[in-house]
Amino acid sequence: MKDLGSIMKQAQAMQQKLADAQAKIAELTVEGTSGGGMVKVVLQGTGALASVELDESLLAPGEGEVISDLVVAAHADAKRKLDEKQAELMREAAGPLAGMKLPGMPF
């Protein structure tokens, strides 16, 4: 029975680490860019779009389609970075169990 108690303590510690990692994820912000920095977007850890910054040279008449494409590309860049940071935090929290396919675990 002693081993079961040890396993339960380890599970509780891991659960706390995962909760801590999720809190860190919620606090993340990442910036994505496109068009050589002409468009910048900031995503929060939750995936919410926090801001969009456009270079004024894009605001000329007839540039609407270009702006749309650049905003989508900048968002994709930020989303990729956010996904990488989230995965890294979850791997750190999982410790030796990282990479194992356990039911109900997000890593």
Side-chain angles (χ1 to χ4, degrees), residues 1-13:
M1 222 27 150
K2 183 178 177 183
D3 289 336
L4 181 59
S6 176
I7 290 171
M8 290 301 291
K9 284 182 183 180
Q10 288 176 348
Q12 288 173 340

Side-chain angles (χ1 to χ4, degrees), residues 25-30 41-51 75 78-79 82-83 86:
I25 287 170
E27 294 173 4
L28 283 176
T29 59
V30 294
V41 299
V42 175
L43 292 183
Q44 296 172 340
T46 59
L49 182 62
S51 69
H75 182 274
K79 179 71 170 116
L82 180 61
D83 290 345
Q86 288 175 338

Side-chain angles (χ1 to χ4, degrees), residues 21 24-25 28-31 78-92:
K24 286 180 185 178
I25 287 170
L28 283 176
T29 59
V30 294
E31 181 180 282
K79 179 71 170 116
R80 178 188 53 77
K81 291 175 183 177
L82 180 61
D83 290 345
E84 288 173 0
K85 285 187 176 187
Q86 288 175 338
E88 180 183 331
L89 285 170
M90 293 308 283
R91 278 192 304 272
E92 288 173 8

Side-chain angles (χ1 to χ4, degrees), residues 23-71:
K24 286 180 185 178
I25 287 170
E27 294 173 4
L28 283 176
T29 59
V30 294
E31 181 180 282
T33 62
S34 66
M38 294 178 76
V39 173
K40 296 178 185 176
V41 299
V42 175
L43 292 183
Q44 296 172 340
T46 59
L49 182 62
S51 69
V52 176
E53 185 179 319
L54 304 174
D55 187 284
E56 287 189 26
S57 67
L58 293 171
L59 302 179
E63 295 296 319
E65 189 174 336
V66 172
I67 293 171
S68 295
D69 291 344
L70 290 173
V71 168

